[in-house]
Amino acid sequence: MDKHEVAFNDLIAQDLKIEPRDWMPEKYRKNLIRQVSQHAHSEIIGMQPEGNWLLRAPSLRAKQVLLAKIQDEAGHGLYLYSVAETLGISRQELVQQLHEGKAKYSSIFNYPTLTWADMGAVGWLVDGAAIVNQVSLQRTSYGPYARSMVRICKEESFHQRQGFEIMVQMAKGTPEQKEMAQDALNRFWEPSLMMFGPHDADSAHSSQSMKWKIKRESNDYLRQKFIDRTVPQIEFLGLTVPDANCKWNEETGHYDHSPFNWDEFWNVVEGNGPCNAERLEHHKKAQSDNAWVREAAYAYAQKTDISAVAQ
Amino acid sequence: MEKGDKVWEVFIQKKAGLAFKHVGNVHGYDKKMAIQNARDLYTRRGEGREIWVVPAEAIVSSPLEQADAFFDPSEDKVYRHPTFYEIPDEVKFI
Ligand SMILES: [Fe+2]
Ligand SMILES: [Fe+2]
């Protein structure tokens, strides 16, 4: 082992951070780029299912809140692109990989948002699951990624709370509203749990990522944590967990759950979910529709900004 | 990188009296766009009173590879620390 690798392993063993200019194994870099870009794209694509309800929000307050939340998600995407860039990949390449289907984003965003209750379920469950994952990633070994997670976690908690508030309003509202809340829960429950990724035994990248402390806790551990927190919230809402086997287990001290439908999960990852094509098309269209803005900005900078001339 | 697109490093001072702190980067075609993008990205909750944006390529870094040698001149100068000096016990306020 050469001295660089020894130094790197040492930093990891001592729970210290790797910084952009430190030597790192090529596979560590690649692994991180894959994870961070997937995370970034999820934040960006994740704006679409919520954007769907922006112009139909039931009140001005609801609209303001939803808009602020979506803006935060754009911010999260940009923090994360910024992290990926410190690893030596450009933003243009990142976006290109997304468009070519080489980079993935979280499958949860390939499901449609059909009713206003979905805005509740998304904030509560999807952001809730993301928070559990992101809190754990605050201790990731790559410095810029860890710092971005701290920033993101501070912003996330309002996302989950606004979602839960909507769920309370719906679940305690008219029978029709309660039915919508239950329906949203039914549709988002299992996909939210699958957001944590495959079971530990089947997770392709997990063990190396755990060794390098890119990931700090396993998919199954985090998923269980989320289930244990969320079931009592479902009970508070007076809704039913859409899984007959989801019961408290005295022995394990956790809630049990039925096996997940992984075939569906992989089918959506492979691009066959209800909204995969639409999400990607929308992103590409926005990118190309805005080309004239970038050209104009470039021309304007050339004429007016002294610092742009040096390029 | 797309034509004219530039990366700027962003530093924020939270309030008067505090040092500027690096928070990440932002893309922008010129200074004004960079500073506005930095505002929208890093100060959505009143986290700043002032922002600096610096073209990423203008930042000069100390070498990491020979960091030990680079910082060596400060290693052996213990006399730069107050504990190096002997002051009689009865003397106060020094
Ligand atoms: Fe987010
Ligand atoms: Fe969020």
Side-chain angles (χ1 to χ4, degrees):
Chain A
M1 216 183 291
D2 79 332
K3 63 168 183 167
H4 289 114
E5 201 167 345
V6 172
F8 173 85
N9 289 339
D10 230 43
L11 287 172
I12 298 286
Q14 291 181 63
D15 255 346
L16 296 172
K17 301 293 181 204
I18 307 298
E19 290 294 337
R21 293 170 65 229
D22 289 337
W23 184 90
M24 59 189 88
E26 242 350 86
K27 275 189 121 171
Y28 176 86
R29 185 186 299 277
K30 278 219 183 97
N31 216 328
L32 255 177
I33 290 179
R34 185 189 52 77
Q35 180 169 333
V36 174
S37 86
Q38 185 169 328
H39 197 161
H41 296 323
S42 302
E43 304 281 355
I44 297 295
I45 297 291
M47 291 191 282
Q48 291 185 39
E50 294 186 304
N52 181 37
W53 280 90
L54 208 42
L55 299 180
R56 291 179 287 163
S59 70
L60 185 56
R61 179 185 185 270
K63 186 174 181 173
Q64 274 177 320
V65 168
L66 188 58
L67 184 59
K69 190 218 182 253
I70 294 171
Q71 283 175 326
D72 271 357
E73 304 302 1
H76 297 175
L78 297 183
Y79 304 154
L80 286 158
Y81 285 137
S82 158
V83 171
E85 286 171 298
T86 66
L87 291 159
I89 185 165
S90 73
R91 193 163 303 190
Q92 203 178 8
E93 284 172 279
L94 289 163
V95 172
Q96 200 175 333
Q97 288 178 354
L98 173 69
H99 287 179
E100 289 169 355
K102 288 182 190 155
K104 304 268 184 228
Y105 55 86
S106 180
S107 276
I108 191 84
F109 302 118
N110 289 319
Y111 292 91
T113 45
L114 304 176
T115 72
W116 176 250
D118 287 15
M119 293 301 94
V122 167
W124 169 43
L125 299 173
V126 177
D127 288 69
I131 289 171
V132 169
N133 191 33
Q134 291 174 147
V135 164
S136 168
L137 285 171
Q138 290 183 110
R139 292 166 52 237
T140 185
S141 59
Y142 188 56
Y145 194 23
R147 293 192 284 276
S148 75
M149 284 303 109
V150 172
R151 180 174 272 280
I152 284 177
C153 285
K154 269 191 211 151
E155 300 182 351
E156 283 292 358
S157 72
F158 120 66
H159 298 180
Q160 197 189 15
R161 292 171 68 117
Q162 65 84 32
F164 194 73
E165 192 187 82
I166 294 172
M167 290 308 286
V168 174
Q169 287 163 350
M170 301 294 282
K172 314 271 175 195
T174 64
E176 288 84 357
Q177 285 175 315
K178 184 169 182 184
E179 204 174 300
M180 279 162 80
Q182 181 66 54
D183 173 59
L185 171 60
N186 293 351
R187 283 180 288 108
F188 279 96
W189 177 245
E190 191 168 311
S192 303
L193 300 184
M194 291 197 285
M195 277 173 73
F196 292 94
H199 289 305
D200 298 345
D202 316 315
S203 178
H205 306 282
S206 268
S207 70
Q208 187 57 61
S209 289
M210 293 284 280
K211 260 184 232 155
W212 277 329
K213 297 182 181 170
I214 293 174
K215 285 174 76 162
R216 302 304 308 248
E217 282 148 329
S218 80
N219 295 354
D220 286 328
Y221 172 83
L222 293 170
R223 176 167 25 237
Q224 189 64 54
K225 193 169 177 180
F226 176 69
I227 295 173
D228 292 347
R229 287 186 174 182
T230 310
V231 172
Q233 295 168 355
I234 297 176
E235 286 163 359
F236 172 86
L237 291 170
L239 300 178
T240 311
V241 183
D243 174 2
N245 293 313
C246 187
K247 293 197 186 85
W248 180 253
N249 182 329
E250 281 293 345
E251 232 163 87
T252 60
H254 295 290
Y255 285 93
D256 289 335
H257 60 79
S258 302
F260 302 125
N261 184 353
W262 290 110
D263 288 344
E264 182 194 311
F265 176 81
W266 288 115
N267 191 41
V268 179
V269 170
E270 292 314 321
N272 308 315
C275 303
N276 295 58
E278 183 188 330
R279 299 290 185 243
L280 220 49
E281 256 337 289
H282 185 85
H283 194 276
K284 287 182 191 167
K285 185 172 182 299
Q287 179 86 359
S288 70
D289 284 355
N290 292 336
W292 70 271
V293 178
R294 296 192 293 277
E295 277 161 32
Y298 175 63
Y300 183 76
Q302 288 291 314
K303 281 190 186 153
T304 55
D305 192 355
I306 252 313
S307 72
V309 179
Q311 282 259 301
Chain B
M1 188 114 49
E2 205 161 301
K3 195 175 63 172
D5 186 13
K6 280 177 66 161
V7 180
W8 306 70
E9 296 300 331
V10 182
F11 301 81
I12 291 178
Q13 186 187 37
K14 212 173 166 175
K15 24 179 191 182
L18 294 179
F20 281 74
K21 197 171 154 195
H22 181 246
V23 290
N25 78 25
V26 81
H27 282 237
Y29 286 72
D30 58 33
K31 294 176 196 172
K32 193 174 165 192
M33 190 186 263
I35 209 106
Q36 286 174 344
N37 287 351
R39 174 199 60 195
D40 294 348
L41 189 52
Y42 293 105
T43 62
R44 285 194 304 284
R45 289 173 177 78
E47 296 96 329
R49 79 174 282 273
E50 195 177 341
I51 303 173
W52 288 344
V53 291
V54 181
E57 83 247 3
I59 291 184
V60 181
S61 309
S62 62
L64 268 191
E65 184 69 9
Q66 292 95 29
D68 289 351
F70 184 78
F71 292 109
D72 181 64
S74 77
E75 286 293 303
D76 55 357
K77 297 183 179 56
V78 281
Y79 47 84
R80 283 179 175 166
H81 298 278
T83 47
F84 180 75
Y85 301 93
E86 272 189 36
I87 304 290
D89 279 349
E90 53 271 38
V91 180
K92 303 292 176 205
F93 306 113
I94 188 161

